[in-house]
Amino acid sequence: MPILQASAVLLCRPKRGVRVVIPAGAFRKAGRTILRNGPLQIALFFLPLVWIGYFAITASERMDAIQQARSHGNSVAELFEENTERIFERVDQSLLVVRALYARDPQAFSLKFWSDKARIATGDVVQLALIGSDGYMIETTAGYSGPPLYLGDREHFIHTMSQAADRLYVAKPVLGRASKKWTIQLARKLFDLAGNPVGVVVGSISVDVVGRFYDTAKLGVGGTLMLRNASHVVLASRGVDQGSVLGQSAPSRVEGELGDGFYAQYWNENRPNRSDRLITARRSRAFPLIFTVGISEQEIYSRSAFRQKVYLGGALLLTFIILAATTFHWRRQQALDRAHRDRRDFASKFEDALRNLPQGLSMFDGRDRLIAFNGQWLELYGLVPEDIRIGMDFREVFAKQTAVLDVETYLVDLKNRLAQSEQISNTVQFPDGRVVYISYGRREDGGWVATHEDITERKASADRIERLAHYDSLTGLANRNLFKERIDEALARPRRPEPACAVLLLDLDKFKSVNDALGHQCGDALLKQVADRIKAQIRDADTAARIGGDEFAVIVAPGGAGMREGAESLAARLVQAIAEPFHIDGHPVVSGCSIGLALVPEHGTRVDEILRNADLALYRSKNAGRNCFHVYSAELKAEADQRNVLEIELREAIWREEIELFYQPVIELGTGRVKSVEALARWHHGTRGYVPPAEFIAVAEAGGLIVELGHQVLARACRDAMSMPGDIKVAVNLSALQFASANLVDTVTFALTQSGLPQTRLELEITESVFLADTEENLRTLQRLKALGVSIALDDFGVGYSSLSYLTAFPFDKVKIDKSFIDRIDRCETVAVLKSIVQLAKTLKLSIVAEGVESSEQVRRLQSLGIPLGQGFHFSKPVPLANLSWQAPTARRKRRVA
């Protein structure tokens, strides 16, 4: 007890009841040791930070893993929903098409025929089947030939017939009696022409088709996908035993979590023989379907668990390093008596630093004497090591080098600059092209220390980057960035009475044709030659640039003559120079260019305004026939504004279906009978009257309205044709832009089905621009269209540079000879060409139509050439449907085309 009374004690009681007594003096001694030792303080500070950081990072990793899993589950569920809905939508569209076709003529309807013809039962659909109201299968695409199958006991038949509304019903999977496959049944009511239900049309989707999405979902170990219908019956699943859950409606937590909503995410925990899963559930807004995606807890934490081990290893390593460093410093504190060895060690390290520096280093004192250097410095300046020694004067050292010619002047300038700043730099260039960057630091004694670095490659790279940023790599001309900078510089100059500069925008004519015909290599060669011709026409003060694919520009600087006159003269010379033939890889190429001209600042005070106005002038040159130039004027902007207004009004007219259809007949020349009619769009504007088709069609194509307009014309023409005689075909023109849309074949099929027009009475007319857009894809589209049974005609035949090649690429039914040939039919060379076309058409078994027939003399000549069909004002102008005459028209006098 005296001992306890003489000193304070700290008591702690372990689990086994052992009493440990630690003297308070030990704590005081440890505290004094820590206060005297800085490294130990650092260690005690950083060690807790390391482990706090470890636990914080691992906890953050697990939170991030859960968050990523939630995001991934939501993304996969959304993609699963979109993928499955597309499958169901395609099948539902097939059911609607079959139902519509069946209603037209139930007795003659053949499901197998229409399935093969329209390719309905392909892809996602295992089979299509028709079930009568008595429950017996009427027909199926599965090729079943056994005794009549009774399907009236099937869920999809019972529920579809019993539901009051006409909607899609999704039934649980069944093993098809005809197809012998597990399938999901999609069913709709079948109606007759009077709208009375007469049975059910069923589309069967393979369970495996829906489940294929699992292979791309990347859900990892234990991941699950499950598709349920509105009654929570499992339609398809992956990641679980499909045989035990398929078609079952076992109690599921998803019902409670999802409720009446469309999205839910929750943990599915404590399930026997399964790891916990993060479940994402989505309800389809379009179909009675529920989608669930499960990601196992093992998969969610797999990466974070691995990284946790890495972090643990890092924390242990840092702990070891800190402890080792602390121990090392502790021992070094006990070696202060070895100062002499430390000084020698320091000198050795200094020498090593000099020797291993990547830069050259030199050091001079206040009397300009060399006091330190390394070998890299000697190599940079070509100095001989034997001739250089410590203590040499600066002038003596650099007496024989070639970088600085006037050493005395250089030294004076160096000292003056160091007197003003502690850190300065300089660059010297050697006669052999090497560039050395020198960084000087002032010393306390008035001397300096300098590092010397060879930056030749770095400077060359910087120059290359600078050139790439401002010059076109193909032509060597300025690029768009430098071009705009030069205009900005011109705008920043003080205003003068004369324009600061002129801007010319050049657009090559027929460049795409060269690229398509000869390839991109020849196209690049053409661009280089065009750039050379532009540079040959401009002055050194002017700037030529390539600002786009085949778009060039020139900034014309002020000169001796007036700016406007000089710019117009240059534009005329450029038009003439570029119009001359080019020779590329042995091919003669003729291009030409269109030019728009704007003056700065007369035609704009901002870069975008100047370029827009020059572009308006360029647009005028293109519309004027190309290969010419125009100067911007206020009326060009007014025309552009008018085009914008016309586009808005045309959009509204298309939306209100105000576009009318006129029809121009195609006449059999020998008998005068009408063989077909061509549908032509006409727009009667509320205030402007009839707008010329050439004007509003161009606006529709430029504004992206041509596809919607073309679909309207197609649907209207098919409906109108049903009121025409049964032997009359109706021809509809297709734009190249309609082929760019993915649903052209579906649009044609829908127009035929909706109108009831036989496919043999529809003729689709195309021009060669369809092939120029995307030959391979458009050829496949044409083949699918022809497979429907419609006719395909090549319009404006003879005017394209490769029309003959298209006749061999696709089996057309008809060619329409362009009006330009008929206008020149009195010439011998034209007759020779027409004879060749007639012979070619006979060989290929094609029908021939002559367009633009305007006189009886032309009719006589066409008959003599063996051309059987004609179309033009001589027979009839385009007229509304009500004004069409099916009688042989009387001959009319030749008239001029309006």
Side-chain angles (χ1 to χ4, degrees), residues 768-787:
E768 71 171 21
S769 59
V770 169
F771 295 92
L772 291 176
D774 186 352
T775 305
E776 294 299 327
E777 182 62 30
N778 289 348
L779 272 177
R780 285 192 289 270
T781 301
L782 283 172
Q783 289 164 352
R784 292 178 61 197
L785 288 172
K786 191 159 187 182

Side-chain angles (χ1 to χ4, degrees), residues 612-613 616-617 619-620 632-646 688 695:
R612 184 186 70 240
N613 292 339
L616 289 175
Y619 184 82
R620 166 62 67 88
Y632 170 77
S633 62
E635 67 180 21
L636 295 182
K637 186 176 185 304
E639 291 177 1
D641 293 340
Q642 186 177 3
R643 283 195 301 273
N644 291 335
V645 171
L646 188 64
R688 298 175 53 183
E695 183 177 345

Side-chain angles (χ1 to χ4, degrees), residues 112 146 165 374 400 483 494 533 577 639 788 835:
K112 182 66 175 174
N374 62 4
K400 297 180 181 180
F483 176 72
R533 293 190 184 182
E639 291 177 1
L788 292 178
K835 286 181 179 180

